[in-house]
Amino acid sequence: MCIFIYTAIVLKMAAAVATPVTSTELDHDRCGSEEESRGAEEESGPQQTGPPAAVSHSRLSKLPLSRIKAIMKTDPDVSLASQESVFIIAKATELFVEMIAKDALVYAQQGKRKTLQRKDLDNAIEAIDEFAFLEGTLD
């Protein structure tokens, strides 16, 4: 249940900013898999020494982990948040935002626009049962 609250907070923060989105930006096949793109970054950047487990979670997450941890700590039930739990919440939030953005993109394209607007998110939330828990959160 907490992951939905954190996701709703992050979604509310993201809804304040309208961002141009094209369908190619949301296509996973555009750049290959995450492992391939990560491998390309490692080839162009300095080589890291040490075991693969020492790879920083912040490189694998697009959201700022410190902000996610701060949001998690506002919950009175959370006293400590491990690095792994913060990373999992961040990845789940990224996947959720990607999913709702793809669904909202359909409504933006119906309106012949490339920019997601709040009404597109509202339409996606109303139309898809999986997003029913978000009704009224963007108000």
Side-chain angles (χ1 to χ4, degrees):
M1 180 65 178
C2 289
I3 191 167
F4 295 122
I5 294 170
Y6 303 140
T7 303
I9 292 170
V10 172
L11 181 62
K12 193 170 190 175
M13 291 175 9
V17 180
T19 307
V21 177
T22 62
S23 60
T24 58
E25 289 175 350
L26 295 175
D27 189 13
H28 286 295
D29 296 333
R30 178 176 60 100
C31 294
S33 68
E34 184 176 331
E35 291 83 16
E36 290 173 359
S37 62
R38 202 175 327 127
E41 289 174 3
E42 290 175 357
E43 289 174 9
S44 62
Q47 294 294 331
Q48 182 177 6
T49 59
V55 174
S56 171
H57 287 299
S58 63
R59 275 187 23 185
L60 303 175
S61 176
K62 296 175 186 171
L63 296 174
L65 297 180
S66 60
R67 178 75 53 99
I68 300 292
K69 188 171 188 172
I71 292 171
M72 288 174 67
K73 285 196 169 192
T74 61
D75 187 347
D77 294 335
V78 177
S79 57
L80 293 174
S82 68
Q83 184 178 6
E84 290 81 10
S85 65
V86 173
F87 174 73
I88 293 297
I89 294 289
K91 287 306 282 185
T93 302
E94 285 177 24
L95 294 172
F96 176 78
V97 169
E98 181 181 338
M99 183 173 69
I100 197 168
K102 284 181 179 180
D103 293 333
L105 178 64
V106 172
Y107 292 101
Q109 288 174 338
Q110 287 175 354
K112 306 220 186 305
R113 291 178 281 107
K114 293 183 179 179
T115 303
L116 292 181
Q117 296 177 351
R118 182 183 175 132
K119 63 184 176 182
D120 301 322
L121 288 172
D122 289 337
N123 289 337
I125 289 170
E126 289 175 14
I128 300 171
D129 293 336
E130 294 173 348
F131 301 139
F133 71 96
L134 288 173
E135 289 183 8
T137 58
L138 295 180
D139 296 332

